[in-house]
Every structure is written in C-alpha cells, then in structure tokens.
Amino acid sequence: ARRALYASVALGCVTESLSTALLIEMRAGAADPAVRDTLDVILRDEVRHSRLGWAHLSLAAADGDVSWLAPSVPAMIEAAVATEPAADVLAGEGERAFLREHGILAPVDIARITAATVRGTIAPGLARHGLWPEAPRHSSLYGA
C-alpha cells in the first residue's frame, strides 16, 4: 500500500500535474490542427493520471497518516523537473515561434511553467495533506 501511494504521489500528483500544465501551454501555442488534436488526446490522458494520483492521496490521507511521504517530496519534484531541458538551445525568436506553433516549448518557458505549477498546484495540494517540505532545497522552484 505504501509503495502504491508513493508511486501515485510521485507520478500522478507531481509528474502528471507538471505534464498537464506543460501540455496546456503547448496546446495554446500550437497552430497546426493535427498538432492541437494530438495534444488534446495526450492532455486528456495526463489529466486523468493526475486526478488518479490526487484521488489516491486524498483517500489514503482520509484513512490514516501519510506524513511518512513528506521527506520524499523534494526528491519526487527534483526527479520530475530534472527531465526538462536545462538550457535554451534555440538561436532566435523566429525559431522559437516556429517550434511553438508545432507544440514545442522553449526551455525558458518550460522552467517558468514548471515553477508556477509547483508553487500554484502541487505545493497547495500536498500541503493540504501535510506533505509540503519545511525547507525545500530549490527555493525559487518551491516558492519559498
């Protein structure tokens, strides 16, 4: 039961919530109808996965103490964020606009969306269950 809850929080609450936010932004910039349609299909799936994670956490918290997860939250977030590009490799605004029209975000946008999602969605959701770390390691990402 603990392993399943850990996976639900790490994958559903953290990773899928981040994926949802990124896909919403990708969808907003996509000009090609085929790209938008594809992003819509993926987005619906990611939203379902995120909801499953949050529902599992809520159910587990209602049934008992989930505070044992709190020390793992920073690593969960760091693992999810570490998969994103670290530097902007695009040469200019024209290339960024072209790629955005095809559903590809610039790394700077990914970083902005990721930080906003952690602060605005993930942190409050986890805090509701007493799982937000007291002293997060990446204060700019965690909104500390």
Side-chain angles (χ1 to χ4, degrees):
R2 281 185 165 216
R3 285 183 185 165
L5 182 58
Y6 183 99
S8 288
V9 172
L11 297 175
C13 301
V14 176
T15 303
E16 300 292 354
S17 293
L18 287 171
S19 293
T20 296
L22 291 167
L23 284 161
I24 289 169
E25 189 75 16
M26 293 163 85
R27 169 64 169 81
D32 185 314
V35 171
R36 281 195 314 269
D37 291 346
T38 301
L39 290 171
D40 285 343
V41 170
I42 298 168
L43 181 57
R44 279 191 296 272
D45 203 40
E46 299 300 276
V47 168
R48 286 185 198 119
H49 296 156
S50 178
R51 286 179 177 164
L52 283 170
W54 290 108
H56 187 188
L57 176 58
S58 292
L59 181 65
D63 285 345
D65 182 27
V66 295
S67 64
W68 58 269
L69 278 166
S72 300
V73 167
M76 291 176 185
I77 292 173
E78 288 172 18
V81 172
T83 63
E84 301 303 336
D88 192 345
V89 296
L90 302 174
E93 286 299 318
E95 289 170 309
R96 284 188 189 99
F98 174 79
L99 291 172
R100 185 167 175 81
E101 289 175 7
H102 291 86
I104 299 171
L105 299 174
V108 67
D109 293 326
I110 292 169
R112 174 184 49 79
I113 295 160
T114 297
T117 303
V118 169
R119 287 190 307 265
T121 302
I122 296 169
L126 294 176
R128 193 171 302 126
H129 301 291
L131 299 180
W132 194 242
E134 291 292 322
R137 287 178 256 185
H138 298 293
S139 60
S140 63
L141 181 62
Y142 291 83

